Amino acid sequence: MNEGANLSHLSESDQPRMVDVSQKAVTTRTAVATCVVRLGSELLGSMSDGELKNKKGPVLHTAILAGIQSTKLTSQLIPLCHPLPLDSSQVEIAPLDSHSLLVTCTARTTGKTGVEMEALTGASVAALTLYDMCKSANPAIVISDLKLAKKTGGKSDYLSPA
Amino acid sequence: MNEGANLSHLSESDQPRMVDVSQKAVTTRTAVATCVVRLGSELLGSMSDGELKNKKGPVLHTAILAGIQSTKLTSQLIPLCHPLPLDSSQVEIAPLDSHSLLVTCTARTTGKTGVEMEALTGASVAALTLYDMCKSANPAIVISDLKLAKKTGGKSDYLSPA
Amino acid sequence: MNEGANLSHLSESDQPRMVDVSQKAVTTRTAVATCVVRLGSELLGSMSDGELKNKKGPVLHTAILAGIQSTKLTSQLIPLCHPLPLDSSQVEIAPLDSHSLLVTCTARTTGKTGVEMEALTGASVAALTLYDMCKSANPAIVISDLKLAKKTGGKSDYLSPA
Amino acid sequence: MNEGANLSHLSESDQPRMVDVSQKAVTTRTAVATCVVRLGSELLGSMSDGELKNKKGPVLHTAILAGIQSTKLTSQLIPLCHPLPLDSSQVEIAPLDSHSLLVTCTARTTGKTGVEMEALTGASVAALTLYDMCKSANPAIVISDLKLAKKTGGKSDYLSPA
Amino acid sequence: MNEGANLSHLSESDQPRMVDVSQKAVTTRTAVATCVVRLGSELLGSMSDGELKNKKGPVLHTAILAGIQSTKLTSQLIPLCHPLPLDSSQVEIAPLDSHSLLVTCTARTTGKTGVEMEALTGASVAALTLYDMCKSANPAIVISDLKLAKKTGGKSDYLSPA
Amino acid sequence: MNEGANLSHLSESDQPRMVDVSQKAVTTRTAVATCVVRLGSELLGSMSDGELKNKKGPVLHTAILAGIQSTKLTSQLIPLCHPLPLDSSQVEIAPLDSHSLLVTCTARTTGKTGVEMEALTGASVAALTLYDMCKSANPAIVISDLKLAKKTGGKSDYLSPA
């Protein structure tokens, strides 16, 4: 634990609160989150180079757009997130190995608070949408290793340990 | 692949579409999804039996409520999901081992289409909220093994392998 | 307390939950809520029969529409409310005395759960909008006596004790 | 009436409009709103020191979170409110007397327009959620005295008369 | 005017209201709306058979998904629309002539009220998204001829005159 | 095409993306959009000077408010739009000729990106709401000529070619 036994979203009397950022500096803040979607080798193979090849484009576009849209809805989903404008929101989906896709979401704002939750939400919702698009072919898809990969522009930078 | 090379959310010309369920039967449909949140043993220990003990209640309540709320927003997040009323939405969070919590979301509707995406979204957003509540103590939390555990009430039931 | 020491929105382990209504009967359910907006006699007089007379129409229309819209957003505002379709939503605003308006919201659904929260939310948001529309003339407006006036169609009817 | 017979949300031809704030100064603006929730002495007593004691925490957390979330949705609820980022949003709930709770919502932004409506909406929705959480025990709960308590940081400060 | 001088969304005292449909029959109701997007021959040509050919797929997918998503948000956009579940929502985009695309949105519900506004909103938002996707190439794109093409399943069917 | 064969919302690999505006200048940006609603001469005449005269006010107010509200929801409707605060949003509706109304929406922000889509969405939704309010009298209403009329404050100004 890098800041002691402190949970900043709880007040001194342990009630949920939105942290007051009014005195924080306005900087350009970026966060990157990633997760892995294990489609299975049969489904992924069919999309890369088989029967489902023509479907890969629309499947990825749908997931990318859902991920981007969700970065705009993050403060409605995560109760103590600040509502904020975004300078940029990007989702990339690329093969990780023969049975998995890697989803990467990058969010950026110029403001007083970071966008980790926006990046994590964007990666999650893109992955959930991949599940939704492919579940008629394989309902056993698993989403794993969702984590904050990197954060810059705030009080301290962060880089995921491996 | 249990239904051949078919992705039901794409039309014959491979355009995204919402599946027409107007002819499907109205039944009570339930879905259960789970995921694992690896808080780390230091943080989880502190919440179970240490300095952060008083904070565990509000942290879990916040995550549970966020998960439930997100099951109502699922059709806004997942582009081709049907908007539907819910009969029930429940999120449970319990220790899995010394460093992880297991999040379980159960969604239920009486309607023409299943609620897998609602359950998966609810588990995801509850897990993301746990991350948000605890990230000041440990930003390296990882969310894993998000999957559909069970589905009943539709054309065919589903039970996760393992 | 008419049902003993029971709060139906908490589970046996006192965690927040959405009540499971899957086994309840589908009936036509109506709820009526009211509240009082004390604009002050100067402002209300000016709108009824003075300088602001032409402004009364647009002020009331704005409040009525905001109230109706909020009955559709109730399940996004109140965490454990069921999302449901509405058969009807109506807001009426009428003079109560020389300095106050009475706001009445009536919501109706055909479903498995009542619409008390929709009616109460609709009356609240219509009243808040009256405040917003009139605050440049009088920021000391007070909203009072928000209550459930009547409920029919569920397990038991309810009529406010005067 | 402190600004004459003027309703700033109506144009010269009495049509609803969002006030143009593009020329106003960016300042840190804070608003505080309060309201009273009359739970009744039986229910409040049971939650303070009786059968419902274990339920008080989750009930208050749910109401606090709903209030905070609603301050982020205010511009969707109140038609002529400006959409804006928030620096802070806080809801506190404390006993007022033997049968009532006092709800206080404080909202803060750094921007060109005030956050009175955010604070009033936050207090309202927290109160409505208390109603929802407790209505199975007492449907006759009344919400009263919703008002702007204080406003600072804009063209002129405001303090509620008593 | 096919129903005399009657506007069903206004009450007898000319106040906006949501029509009460609680007594109407539950039927499967379908509506189709269309509009024309005049991209210009240079841009459309480049997308059909020129430099922008590879961009056509993602542009159309984005517009289709935005249109479908908006049919789910219709009751939040159109103040007196009933919130309702949808059985189906589909958007198709096809060349109309050398400089224009035809957007067609089909919405379907099983319920007590029609989905004209859902279909019209879906066609509009798909067209607006085409504008957004292409405005860097041609900001003079015009959207025209948005109309209800067909409606079935309600009290009376409707077919657009030509 | 004023910027060559470039669609800024697609990445180099033709995937949808939100443009990164973090390096752009903060300026006051205004956009104006217009469209035409062909109500028909019978309906428009009846509202101007006939049986429906008393209904014109509430019909226009409803459409104006819906248009304004939609400018706040634009980034939820148009997938690659940036979420941003608005300084102003205005909708005006005026007779164009004996059978049509002209809808004009003006949006303004102080930020790093323009508000064309907000203005276009506001005009569209106001027009859709006019359709909804009047469809019981005339379902054959057509919405046409939706276009960007003017844009100022960005890298380059734009004025519609007549």
Side-chain angles (χ1 to χ4, degrees):
Chain A
M1 283 184 277
N2 63 353
E3 299 194 19
N6 178 40
L7 301 186
S8 59
H9 285 323
L10 296 180
S11 69
E12 285 171 28
S13 52
D14 291 331
Q15 300 300 300
R17 63 162 180 193
M18 193 194 284
V19 176
D20 187 345
V21 298
S22 56
Q23 301 309 314
K24 292 180 75 178
V26 172
T27 58
T28 298
R29 295 158 190 265
T30 304
V32 182
T34 54
C35 69
V36 175
V37 183
R38 298 205 298 264
L39 292 180
S41 54
E42 193 179 357
L43 175 55
L44 190 55
S46 180
M47 286 177 67
S48 299
D49 193 26
E51 243 183 303
L52 296 177
K53 201 173 172 184
N54 289 333
K55 299 183 193 297
K56 195 183 176 186
V59 165
L60 296 192
H61 298 150
T62 306
I64 288 169
L65 290 165
I68 291 173
Q69 283 288 67
S70 74
T71 61
K72 309 182 198 169
L73 288 171
T74 299
S75 72
Q76 284 183 37
L77 293 170
I78 311 296
L80 301 171
C81 260
H82 294 81
L84 45 75
L86 288 173
D87 282 352
S88 165
S89 173
Q90 215 163 335
V91 172
E92 286 169 305
I93 303 176
L96 180 68
D97 54 35
S98 67
H99 54 280
S100 303
L101 294 172
L102 179 70
V103 177
T104 304
C105 178
T106 305
R108 182 167 294 144
T109 194
T110 303
K112 296 177 170 183
T113 185
V115 284
E116 298 97 299
M117 294 317 302
E118 280 74 8
L120 285 159
T121 300
S124 280
V125 172
L128 286 165
T129 301
L130 286 174
Y131 183 96
D132 187 46
M133 296 302 287
C134 296
K135 70 181 194 286
S136 63
N138 179 13
I141 293 165
V142 176
I143 299 170
S144 267
D145 292 305
L146 175 68
K147 63 182 176 188
L148 182 64
K150 203 167 84 168
K151 188 177 84 129
T152 61
K155 209 172 48 187
S156 59
D157 289 353
Y158 175 78
L159 188 70
S160 169
Chain B
M1 282 185 279
N2 63 353
E3 299 192 20
N6 178 39
L7 302 186
S8 59
H9 285 324
L10 297 180
S11 68
E12 284 170 29
S13 53
D14 290 331
Q15 300 299 301
R17 62 162 181 192
M18 192 194 285
V19 175
D20 187 345
V21 298
S22 56
Q23 302 309 315
K24 292 180 75 178
V26 172
T27 58
T28 298
R29 294 159 190 264
T30 304
V32 182
T34 55
C35 69
V36 175
V37 182
R38 297 206 299 264
L39 292 180
S41 54
E42 194 179 355
L43 175 55
L44 190 54
S46 180
M47 285 177 68
S48 299
D49 192 27
E51 244 183 302
L52 296 178
K53 201 172 173 185
N54 289 334
K55 300 183 193 295
K56 194 182 176 187
V59 165
L60 296 192
H61 298 151
T62 307
I64 288 169
L65 290 165
I68 291 173
Q69 284 288 67
S70 73
T71 61
K72 308 181 199 172
L73 289 171
T74 300
S75 72
Q76 284 183 36
L77 293 170
I78 311 296
L80 301 172
C81 260
H82 294 82
L84 45 74
L86 288 173
D87 282 352
S88 165
S89 173
Q90 216 163 332
V91 172
E92 287 169 303
I93 303 176
L96 180 68
D97 54 35
S98 66
H99 54 280
S100 301
L101 294 172
L102 179 70
V103 177
T104 305
C105 179
T106 306
R108 182 167 294 144
T109 195
T110 303
K112 297 177 170 183
T113 185
V115 284
E116 299 98 299
M117 295 316 302
E118 281 73 9
L120 286 160
T121 300
S124 279
V125 172
L128 287 166
T129 301
L130 287 173
Y131 183 96
D132 187 46
M133 296 303 285
C134 296
K135 71 180 194 285
S136 63
N138 179 12
I141 293 165
V142 176
I143 299 171
S144 267
D145 292 305
L146 174 68
K147 63 182 175 190
L148 182 64
K150 204 167 84 167
K151 188 176 83 130
T152 61
K155 208 172 47 187
S156 60
D157 289 353
Y158 175 79
L159 188 70
S160 168
Chain C
M1 281 183 280
N2 63 354
E3 299 193 19
N6 178 39
L7 301 186
S8 59
H9 285 323
L10 297 180
S11 68
E12 285 171 28
S13 53
D14 291 331
Q15 300 299 302
R17 62 164 181 191
M18 193 194 283
V19 176
D20 187 346
V21 298
S22 56
Q23 302 309 314
K24 293 180 74 178
V26 172
T27 59
T28 298
R29 294 158 190 265
T30 304
V32 182
T34 54
C35 70
V36 174
V37 182
R38 298 206 297 265
L39 292 180
S41 54
E42 193 180 357
L43 176 53
L44 190 54
S46 180
M47 285 176 68
S48 299
D49 192 28
E51 242 183 304
L52 295 178
K53 202 172 172 183
N54 290 333
K55 300 182 192 297
K56 195 183 177 186
V59 165
L60 297 192
H61 297 151
T62 306
I64 288 169
L65 290 165
I68 290 173
Q69 284 287 68
S70 74
T71 61
K72 308 182 199 170
L73 289 171
T74 299
S75 72
Q76 285 183 37
L77 294 169
I78 311 295
L80 300 171
C81 260
H82 294 82
L84 45 74
L86 288 173
D87 283 352
S88 165
S89 174
Q90 215 162 335
V91 172
E92 287 170 304
I93 303 176
L96 180 69
D97 54 36
S98 66
H99 53 280
S100 301
L101 294 172
L102 179 70
V103 177
T104 305
C105 178
T106 305
R108 181 167 296 144
T109 194
T110 302
K112 297 179 170 182
T113 185
V115 284
E116 299 98 299
M117 295 316 302
E118 281 74 9
L120 285 159
T121 299
S124 280
V125 172
L128 287 166
T129 301
L130 286 174
Y131 183 96
D132 187 46
M133 296 303 286
C134 296
K135 71 180 194 287
S136 63
N138 179 14
I141 292 165
V142 176
I143 299 170
S144 267
D145 292 304
L146 175 67
K147 63 182 176 190
L148 182 63
K150 204 166 85 169
K151 187 177 84 131
T152 61
K155 207 173 47 187
S156 59
D157 289 353
Y158 175 78
L159 188 70
S160 168
Chain D
M1 282 184 279
N2 63 353
E3 299 193 20
N6 179 39
L7 302 186
S8 59
H9 285 323
L10 296 181
S11 68
E12 285 172 27
S13 53
D14 291 330
Q15 300 299 302
R17 63 163 181 193
M18 191 193 285
V19 175
D20 187 345
V21 299
S22 55
Q23 302 309 315
K24 292 180 74 177
V26 172
T27 59
T28 299
R29 295 157 190 265
T30 303
V32 182
T34 55
C35 70
V36 175
V37 182
R38 298 206 299 263
L39 292 180
S41 54
E42 194 179 355
L43 175 54
L44 190 55
S46 181
M47 286 177 67
S48 299
D49 192 27
E51 244 183 302
L52 296 178
K53 201 173 172 183
N54 290 333
K55 300 183 192 297
K56 195 183 176 186
V59 165
L60 296 192
H61 298 150
T62 307
I64 288 169
L65 290 165
I68 291 172
Q69 284 288 67
S70 74
T71 61
K72 308 181 199 169
L73 289 171
T74 300
S75 71
Q76 284 184 37
L77 293 170
I78 311 297
L80 301 172
C81 260
H82 294 81
L84 45 74
L86 287 173
D87 282 352
S88 165
S89 172
Q90 214 163 334
V91 172
E92 287 169 304
I93 303 176
L96 180 69
D97 54 35
S98 67
H99 53 281
S100 302
L101 294 172
L102 179 71
V103 177
T104 304
C105 178
T106 305
R108 182 167 295 143
T109 195
T110 303
K112 297 178 170 182
T113 185
V115 284
E116 299 98 300
M117 295 315 302
E118 280 75 9
L120 285 160
T121 300
S124 280
V125 171
L128 286 166
T129 301
L130 286 174
Y131 183 95
D132 187 46
M133 296 302 286
C134 297
K135 71 180 194 288
S136 62
N138 179 13
I141 293 165
V142 175
I143 299 170
S144 267
D145 292 305
L146 174 68
K147 63 182 175 190
L148 182 64
K150 204 167 83 168
K151 188 177 84 130
T152 61
K155 207 172 49 187
S156 59
D157 288 353
Y158 174 78
L159 189 69
S160 168
Chain E
M1 280 184 281
N2 63 353
E3 298 192 21
N6 178 40
L7 302 187
S8 59
H9 285 325
L10 297 180
S11 69
E12 285 172 27
S13 53
D14 291 331
Q15 300 299 301
R17 63 162 181 193
M18 192 194 285
V19 175
D20 187 345
V21 299
S22 56
Q23 301 310 314
K24 293 180 75 178
V26 172
T27 58
T28 298
R29 295 158 190 265
T30 303
V32 182
T34 54
C35 69
V36 174
V37 182
R38 298 206 297 264
L39 292 179
S41 54
E42 193 180 357
L43 174 54
L44 190 54
S46 179
M47 286 177 67
S48 299
D49 193 26
E51 244 183 304
L52 296 178
K53 202 173 172 184
N54 290 332
K55 300 182 192 298
K56 195 183 176 186
V59 165
L60 297 192
H61 298 150
T62 306
I64 288 169
L65 289 165
I68 290 173
Q69 283 288 68
S70 75
T71 61
K72 309 182 199 171
L73 289 171
T74 300
S75 72
Q76 285 184 36
L77 293 170
I78 311 297
L80 301 171
C81 259
H82 293 83
L84 44 75
L86 288 173
D87 282 352
S88 165
S89 174
Q90 217 163 332
V91 172
E92 287 169 302
I93 302 176
L96 181 67
D97 54 37
S98 66
H99 53 281
S100 301
L101 294 172
L102 178 71
V103 177
T104 304
C105 179
T106 306
R108 182 168 295 143
T109 195
T110 304
K112 297 178 170 183
T113 185
V115 284
E116 299 97 299
M117 294 316 302
E118 281 73 10
L120 286 159
T121 300
S124 280
V125 172
L128 287 165
T129 301
L130 286 173
Y131 183 96
D132 187 46
M133 296 302 286
C134 297
K135 70 180 194 286
S136 63
N138 179 13
I141 293 165
V142 176
I143 299 171
S144 267
D145 292 305
L146 175 68
K147 63 181 176 190
L148 182 64
K150 202 167 84 168
K151 188 177 83 131
T152 61
K155 208 173 47 188
S156 59
D157 289 352
Y158 175 78
L159 188 70
S160 169
Chain F
M1 283 184 278
N2 62 353
E3 299 193 20
N6 178 39
L7 301 186
S8 59
H9 285 323
L10 296 181
S11 69
E12 285 172 27
S13 53
D14 290 330
Q15 299 299 301
R17 62 164 181 192
M18 192 193 285
V19 176
D20 187 345
V21 299
S22 56
Q23 302 309 315
K24 292 180 74 177
V26 172
T27 58
T28 298
R29 294 158 191 265
T30 304
V32 182
T34 54
C35 69
V36 175
V37 183
R38 298 206 298 264
L39 293 180
S41 55
E42 193 180 357
L43 176 54
L44 190 55
S46 180
M47 286 177 66
S48 298
D49 192 28
E51 244 183 302
L52 295 178
K53 200 172 172 184
N54 289 332
K55 300 183 193 296
K56 194 183 176 186
V59 165
L60 296 192
H61 298 150
T62 306
I64 287 169
L65 290 165
I68 291 172
Q69 284 288 67
S70 74
T71 61
K72 308 181 199 170
L73 289 171
T74 299
S75 72
Q76 284 183 36
L77 294 169
I78 311 297
L80 300 171
C81 259
H82 294 83
L84 45 74
L86 288 173
D87 283 352
S88 165
S89 173
Q90 215 163 333
V91 172
E92 287 169 303
I93 303 176
L96 180 68
D97 54 36
S98 66
H99 54 279
S100 301
L101 294 172
L102 178 72
V103 177
T104 305
C105 178
T106 306
R108 181 168 295 144
T109 195
T110 304
K112 296 177 170 182
T113 184
V115 284
E116 298 97 300
M117 294 316 302
E118 281 74 8
L120 286 160
T121 300
S124 281
V125 172
L128 286 165
T129 301
L130 286 173
Y131 183 96
D132 187 46
M133 296 302 285
C134 297
K135 71 180 193 285
S136 63
N138 180 13
I141 293 166
V142 176
I143 299 171
S144 268
D145 292 305
L146 175 68
K147 63 182 176 189
L148 182 64
K150 203 167 85 168
K151 188 176 84 128
T152 61
K155 208 173 46 187
S156 59
D157 290 353
Y158 175 78
L159 188 69
S160 168

